[in-house]
Amino acid sequence: MGKSRILVNFFIFVAVFVQKSLAESVSPSEARQLRDEVRGMFYHAFDGYMQHAFPLDELRPLSCTGEDTLGGYALTLIDSLDTLALLGDQERFTTAVDWISKHLRFDIDKTVSVFETSIRVLGGLLSAHLIASDYATGMKVQSYDDQLLHLAEDLAQRLLPAFDTPTGIPFGSVNLLHGVDENESKITSTAGGGTLTLEFGILSRLTGNPVYEQVTKNAVHGIWARRSKINLVGAHINVFTGDWTQKDAGIGTSIDSFYEYLLKAYLLFGDEEYLFIFQEAYRAAMNYLYNDPWYVEVNMNSAAMVWPLFNSLQAFWPGLQVLAGDIGPAIRTHAAFFSVWKKYGFTPEGFNLATFSVQYGQKSYPLRPELIESTYWLFKATRDTRYLDAGRDMVASLQYGARCPCGYCHISDVESHKQDDHMESFFLAETVKYLWLLFDLAVGPDNIVENGPYKYIFSTEGHLLPASPEISLVHEHCSYFGAFCKKNGTNKSQMSNVSPDQQQTNETRSQRHWSSFSFPSHSKSAGSISMSGFIKGVCPGLTHGEKYAIPYN
């Protein structure tokens, strides 16, 4: 199917969508009510989990029971920690940190997903540690003594055997007690192998042990070195041979967060190698995958279309484009994706762009946050009330379609709205978090993300990762204001010892991650893209390619 037909179908669909959606915009008072309603949604699900499922991993919200789904270590509680902190719930946050500190252990005979365990458990522990240990967050736990950090390091040590492969790309699963099973599959997804840099990188910077950061950077190198000649990556790869076993390239299923962590690792750590790879990968995605306003899947070598399909995981992309400052395409793509939500009340896992109908076998909506996440970022960038209106529709869908006795249910069929007895932990870690942030921003934000001491990067699981000096400036020269020197574990520069002029200079240096620069043009039709996002300036001298050229394997 050609691009022209996609566009024709889109404009017909949007015309119907616009006609049906002419409703009064969300007012400030209604935004306040919606924020409070979302808070109630969180506690309906969280309390349901604590009363009926804890300490099992996840809640079965229809039957009001629990189930172990990942490792059997109170997954939903760990995933919810920083949402409790974001909501300012000091009592429950403290209680949860204390319980985890005393009872959580990872010396168990469980084979777990490296990817899911890293983003949910490792990320949840690190985010909560950084909040609980810091008076500046307003959520300091008085009795806390780095227990979550010690647990995070223990967990990461148990995940490390997965990285012992010829390519550096990790196995998909590892046993927490025995390491990698001899019969473990050698095939992993691009997202699974390339979405570990934030959590492991932070752990290296907090512990002073560089191995965690290095193995995850090696994994990114292992994937990127095997890109096609047109800078696309496939969906699945053999971690021993480096051969692609699925050559479909896209921005959704099995690949999505690989792109996300390239940009976010640069924003958090300031490592320009990640920026270079992101620039090359993003340019290729916009050239070969973008059929304005949709994205399709193509063969990574020939760029021939494979699937004219919108899958729900693609919906994170407009939010990532906001972080990169590429707002125009983000607005158009969000409108297209949201039109699917409006049609069904939710986004199905797959939506066929040739027939403009739900893809067979992909009818479910497992409470995913990606479209909500992009809605939040676009409202933050534009302050356009259309995104508040979209948020209101999303709340209504969840309340009337997914709410069930003890929490919120998966929707097994977006056409019939049949409910399924399952609630993923990411509903509390991400879905309601981004909704709450959206409406709190509208009424005048009062939270650590908007008003706190640091800029925050959100992990792919929605965990709050602060760009604090200890994390973002760890490799900077010690004379920089606020930099940490790991040789003796002390902060060598104190504000009282810095002159006002020097302080201003060094503050400028420490804030360079959040400046703007001119991004290369990627769109087939665009001449140039104005970057006004969070990215720092690029110094003259050697080109990125000259500095960081990664050869093809």
Side-chain angles (χ1 to χ4, degrees):
M1 184 189 69
K3 177 177 176 181
S4 59
R5 184 173 173 190
I6 291 178
L7 289 173
V8 169
N9 282 335
F10 168 71
F11 288 123
I12 293 173
F13 195 19
V14 166
V16 175
F17 159 66
V18 170
Q19 190 174 23
K20 290 183 177 180
S21 62
L22 294 176
E24 187 176 347
S25 293
V26 172
S27 66
S29 61
E30 187 180 3
R32 185 173 290 105
Q33 293 171 358
L34 286 164
R35 179 193 61 183
D36 295 341
E37 184 175 356
V38 173
R39 178 187 290 267
M41 291 169 63
F42 171 82
Y43 283 111
H44 174 62
F46 181 78
D47 292 344
Y49 166 75
M50 295 301 295
Q51 292 169 17
H52 302 288
F54 174 79
L56 300 178
D57 280 340
E58 291 181 325
L59 173 69
R60 294 173 61 87
L62 271 176
S63 58
C64 297
T65 57
E67 59 183 335
D68 280 335
T69 55
L70 188 60
Y73 33 56
L75 170 65
T76 296
L77 181 63
I78 297 170
D79 229 2
S80 302
L81 287 171
D82 63 349
T83 308
L84 288 169
L86 181 66
L87 295 175
D89 193 335
Q90 180 79 62
E91 180 180 358
R92 287 180 184 159
F93 179 70
T94 299
T95 300
V97 168
D98 286 344
W99 185 91
I100 291 169
S101 299
K102 294 173 182 175
H103 297 97
L104 191 63
R105 49 181 291 195
F106 296 114
D107 56 338
I108 53 178
D109 188 8
K110 293 277 189 178
T111 297
V112 300
S113 162
V114 173
F115 170 70
E116 296 292 352
T117 303
S118 297
I119 67 172
R120 300 197 198 198
V121 182
L122 185 60
L125 291 172
L126 290 171
S127 178
H129 160 73
L130 290 163
I131 294 169
S133 61
D134 191 345
Y135 281 102
T137 65
M139 297 297 292
K140 175 79 168 68
V141 175
Q142 297 302 322
S143 61
Y144 182 68
D145 189 25
D146 292 346
Q147 294 95 330
L148 303 189
L149 178 60
H150 299 321
L151 284 167
E153 187 167 22
D154 177 54
L155 176 59
Q157 282 289 333
R158 297 174 187 279
L159 298 177
L160 280 180
F163 292 86
D164 186 14
T165 67
T167 63
I169 305 168
F171 285 97
S173 298
V174 65
N175 186 283
L176 294 178
L177 203 57
H178 304 297
V180 178
D181 186 89
E182 62 180 7
N183 297 316
E184 177 61 37
S185 172
K186 294 180 175 62
I187 308 303
T188 195
S189 70
T190 298
T195 312
L196 308 165
T197 50
L198 296 188
E199 292 82 3
F200 278 74
I202 285 176
L203 185 60
S204 277
R205 288 156 191 253
L206 294 178
T207 62
N209 184 348
V211 68
Y212 309 116
E213 186 166 5
Q214 191 58 55
V215 295
T216 55
K217 177 176 270 194
N218 289 345
V220 173
H221 286 168
I223 293 170
W224 187 243
R226 291 165 176 86
R227 68 198 183 277
S228 71
K229 297 296 184 181
I230 56 175
N231 286 338
L232 293 177
V233 294
H236 290 92
I237 194 168
N238 185 305
V239 302
F240 264 60
T241 66
D243 294 330
W244 292 100
T245 59
Q246 184 181 356
K247 297 182 180 181
D248 299 351
I251 62 165
T253 304
S254 299
I255 303 177
D256 50 354
S257 49
F258 172 73
Y259 290 100
E260 179 184 2
Y261 268 36
L262 290 174
L263 179 57
K264 290 183 176 180
Y266 168 70
L267 292 174
L268 190 60
F269 301 136
D271 187 333
E272 291 188 4
E273 183 173 4
Y274 289 119
L275 175 62
F276 167 68
I277 299 174
F278 174 76
Q279 288 177 315
E280 296 295 302
Y282 183 79
R283 181 183 293 111
M286 296 302 286
N287 279 338
Y288 300 111
L289 309 178
Y290 184 44
N291 281 265
D292 192 352
W294 305 95
Y295 290 81
V296 296
E297 294 185 7
V298 305
N299 179 277
M300 63 180 288
N301 294 310
S302 67
M305 185 183 295
V306 177
W307 289 106
L309 192 72
F310 158 60
N311 67 69
S312 60
L313 288 174
Q314 293 177 359
F316 87 101
W317 191 258
L320 185 67
Q321 290 181 307
V322 170
L323 282 179
D326 202 358
I327 306 296
I331 291 172
R332 295 193 296 276
T333 294
H334 180 277
F337 291 174
F338 182 59
S339 69
V340 179
W341 182 292
K342 288 287 287 185
K343 182 174 183 179
Y344 299 105
F346 303 100
T347 47
E349 289 291 79
F351 181 76
N352 192 301
L353 299 177
T355 63
F356 263 65
S357 61
V358 177
Q359 178 71 14
Y360 178 78
Q362 299 185 33
K363 294 185 175 184
S364 65
Y365 169 69
L367 303 176
R368 291 203 185 279
E370 284 79 12
L371 185 60
I372 298 169
E373 175 186 2
S374 288
T375 303
Y376 161 68
W377 281 111
L378 277 164
F379 179 69
K380 188 169 184 174
T382 68
R383 294 304 197 271
D384 191 322
T385 57
R386 81 174 85 171
Y387 301 111
L388 297 179
D389 300 344
R392 175 176 58 190
D393 288 345
M394 293 165 176
V395 169
S397 292
L398 291 166
Q399 289 288 63
Y400 292 107
R403 189 179 177 101
C404 44
C406 299
Y408 288 81
C409 288
H410 282 199
I411 303 300
S412 61
D413 186 332
V414 297
E415 293 178 309
S416 67
H417 286 196
K418 181 182 178 182
Q419 294 181 339
D420 185 44
D421 194 12
H422 190 59
M423 187 183 81
E424 293 262 13
S425 66
F426 60 64
F427 179 75
L428 294 173
E430 300 181 81
T431 306
V432 292
K433 177 183 287 170
Y434 286 119
L435 277 172
W436 189 86
L437 282 166
L438 171 68
F439 295 116
D440 191 56
L441 185 61
V443 301
D446 183 20
N447 63 74
I448 60 174
V449 170
E450 309 295 349
N451 297 341
Y454 313 113
K455 299 279 189 179
Y456 281 91
I457 294 296
F458 291 87
S459 77
T460 196
E461 188 71 7
H463 291 308
L464 309 181
L465 307 176
S468 64
E470 186 178 16
I471 293 171
S472 292
L473 298 179
V474 71
H475 295 311
E476 299 286 355
H477 191 278
C478 289
S479 65
Y480 285 13
F481 171 70
F484 281 72
C485 299
K486 285 297 183 182
K487 288 184 179 179
N488 57 14
T490 59
N491 184 344
K492 300 289 285 187
S493 279
Q494 300 298 328
M495 185 180 294
S496 58
N497 298 327
V498 181
S499 69
D501 291 341
Q502 183 182 355
Q503 178 179 330
Q504 182 177 3
T505 299
N506 289 319
E507 283 176 342
T508 301
R509 287 170 175 161
S510 68
Q511 288 296 317
R512 65 187 179 182
H513 303 302
W514 316 101
S515 307
S516 61
F517 77 103
S518 180
F519 201 86
S521 175
H522 313 288
S523 173
K524 298 171 186 174
S525 59
S528 63
I529 297 172
S530 174
M531 297 297 292
S532 57
F534 298 103
I535 302 178
K536 69 178 183 179
V538 177
C539 298
L542 293 177
T543 67
H544 285 301
E546 291 168 331
K547 289 182 183 178
Y548 304 122
I550 300 173
Y552 295 96
N553 275 20

